[in-house]
Amino acid sequence: MSLATASVVVVSRERPGALVRCLMALAQQDHPAFEVVVVADPAGLAAVAATGLAVKAVGFDEANISAARNLGLAQAAGEVVAFIDDDACAEPTWLSRLVAVFADARVMQATGFVRGRNGISFQWRACEVDRFGEDHALDVPEDRVSLHEGSGARAVKTVGTNCAFRAAALRAAGGFDPAFRFFLDEADVNLRLAARGGLTAVVPLAQVHHAFAASARRRADRVPLSLVEIGASTAVFLRRHAPEAAGALPQAVVRRERARLWRHLLRGRIGPLRMRALMAGLRAGWAEGLARRLALEPLPDSGAPFAPLPGTGPRGGVVLVTDRAGRAAALDQAGRAAGARIVTVLVLSRGFRRHRHGFTDGGFWLQEGGAHGKADRKGPVFWRTTAALRGEDERKRLAPVRPVWSDTPLDR
């Protein structure tokens, strides 16, 4: 089965290093015909230019992710348009798995699973969102695609760092609403598209790793710097999808945000005065959102030519298993081979230290932890194994989303 052409849109602001790492992972995708559109601030565009990657670059330096995504959509010439955050790195099979479901003409949107900072635990699996903006966990199989109907009242929520849409359908629905500068922007699109008919695909094996990097809205420890846009987006969302509930800031939202801040306060990350100021920002945002313009019109088709990223497509993979003493040599070897193959380095130390896993600035994947330590968070706390057997176990765990088997060793 041939895959539809695709455009991957990456929006970035004030994170040039993370953006470059994201693009390095995209360059190793096994989809053979896709382009990359980067919408970024001047620092981000300069960093992209320095990589030499043949991407479409659009300048934009405002704190409005919906407006930025629409600029990317305007340049996207693929049949399917996918979105990933700049602080995320995609598994090599991510895009092909996400795009494949659009071979079914009924599918209008799709989403995959997201792993968190440790590269092991899932940050996001699947859920539905209702017209009040509330999430509801969705029980889906984790080893195969599932298709879901929706409506303007409830639909599958496509997480913003791992989602794709039939480009024509997204444009016909008006794209992303710039009134949502941040928060609930994808949920709004999901309900609007579901109301038009069609299916949403949940693709568990289309996976990205999301770091939750620091931004203008949150610190690196995930403490929010402002709740204004959460309040504003909540007001906009309810005005459109549940106007009868837009009379006052919902107490459910107040309780949720207050509980989140209490957790940070109890960990010593913020103080009471800061907590009070953030809650005041939530209320101020609500008032602002009540006044934002609500108007959407269909977006025109992209007149831009399709500009596929060179050198993508299937390639072999290899896992280098080493101990701490051999770590430096293995990393050097991996860096020299990265790109030509999908390289994963597994560094096993003595003991029971939990594993961490992620994509590196060197262009390869790195997993580190104790030879007897926990990797899969559902697995045993203590692995009774040898280093060789542990390497095979980790290959099996990674194989569904990444090429890891090769009979040809890397040159040393």
Side-chain angles (χ1 to χ4, degrees), residues 58 153 169 176 276 359 380 408:
V58 181
F176 292 87
R276 190 175 300 121
F359 192 73
T408 306

Side-chain angles (χ1 to χ4, degrees), residues 13 60 105 125 182-183 188 196 213 215 257 259-260 271 319 335 352 376 409:
R13 191 165 185 260
F60 186 71
R125 287 185 175 87
F182 165 75
F183 188 67
D188 172 61
R196 291 168 165 258
S215 72
E257 295 304 322
R260 178 160 69 119
V319 176
F352 317 111
D376 184 344

Side-chain angles (χ1 to χ4, degrees), residues 31-359:
H31 190 298
F34 74 95
E35 62 181 8
V36 176
V37 184
V38 175
V39 184
D41 60 352
L45 294 184
V48 171
T51 68
L53 290 172
V55 305
K56 294 178 176 178
V58 181
F60 186 71
D61 193 11
E62 297 178 23
N64 189 323
I65 194 168
S66 294
R69 284 173 172 163
N70 284 344
L71 289 174
L73 181 60
Q75 293 297 317
E79 301 165 71
V80 174
V81 58
F83 295 88
I84 186 172
D85 290 349
D86 61 354
D87 60 347
C89 291
E91 289 283 358
T93 58
W94 168 69
L95 186 61
S96 59
R97 291 186 183 280
L98 209 55
V99 169
V101 299
F102 290 90
D104 186 329
R106 300 171 298 167
V107 174
M108 296 295 116
Q109 44 192 339
T111 190
F113 279 19
V114 179
R115 295 190 184 271
R117 285 180 171 176
N118 61 27
I120 306 289
S121 304
F122 282 116
Q123 185 183 96
W124 179 272
R125 287 185 175 87
C127 81
E128 292 180 318
V129 63
D130 63 28
R131 67 191 189 96
F132 300 100
E134 296 296 323
D135 291 349
H136 305 272
L138 187 62
D139 186 20
V140 298
E142 295 192 2
D143 58 350
R144 62 184 184 277
V145 174
S146 57
L147 302 178
H148 305 265
E149 294 181 341
S151 69
R154 186 160 170 156
V156 171
K157 187 175 182 179
T158 62
V159 62
T161 193
N162 186 352
C163 60
F165 304 89
R166 197 173 295 278
L170 182 57
R171 292 190 179 100
F176 292 87
D177 188 346
F180 295 93
R181 298 172 188 171
F182 165 75
F183 188 67
L184 290 174
D185 39 312
E186 301 94 7
D188 172 61
V189 169
N190 299 149
L191 290 178
R192 287 191 281 116
L193 278 176
R196 291 168 165 258
L199 302 177
T200 302
V202 177
V203 192
L205 293 179
Q207 295 184 6
V208 303
H209 296 238
H210 187 215
F212 266 126
S215 72
R217 294 191 178 92
R218 66 170 179 255
R219 298 185 336 207
D221 59 4
R222 297 181 67 174
V223 171
L225 298 174
S226 171
L227 297 181
V228 170
E229 287 305 325
I230 290 179
S233 290
T234 300
V236 172
F237 190 90
L238 292 178
R239 286 170 61 201
R240 171 168 290 143
H241 299 287
E244 74 277 12
L249 178 61
Q251 285 304 302
V253 175
V254 174
R255 288 192 296 270
R256 181 192 69 214
E257 295 304 322
R258 183 176 287 128
R260 178 160 69 119
L261 295 180
W262 266 108
R263 289 192 293 271
H264 290 305
L265 186 145
L266 292 173
R267 292 181 174 92
R269 296 170 180 167
I270 59 173
L273 292 179
R274 184 59 187 156
M275 180 174 174
R276 190 175 300 121
L278 286 167
M279 291 303 296
L282 179 71
R283 293 186 288 272
W286 170 265
E288 181 182 330
L290 293 177
R292 286 186 183 172
R293 180 173 178 266
L294 291 183
L296 284 173
E297 297 180 356
L299 300 178
D301 291 342
S302 172
F306 185 62
L309 194 65
T312 66
R315 70 198 77 189
V318 63
V319 176
L320 303 178
V321 183
T322 186
D323 56 17
R324 297 293 298 178
R327 183 180 187 276
L331 297 187
D332 178 69
Q333 188 180 2
R336 287 185 280 110
R341 292 202 223 176
I342 307 300
V343 183
T344 304
V345 178
L346 175 60
V347 181
L348 296 174
S349 57
R350 294 181 179 180
F352 317 111
R353 187 163 64 95
R354 285 192 171 196
H355 287 223
R356 297 185 67 86
H357 189 105
F359 192 73

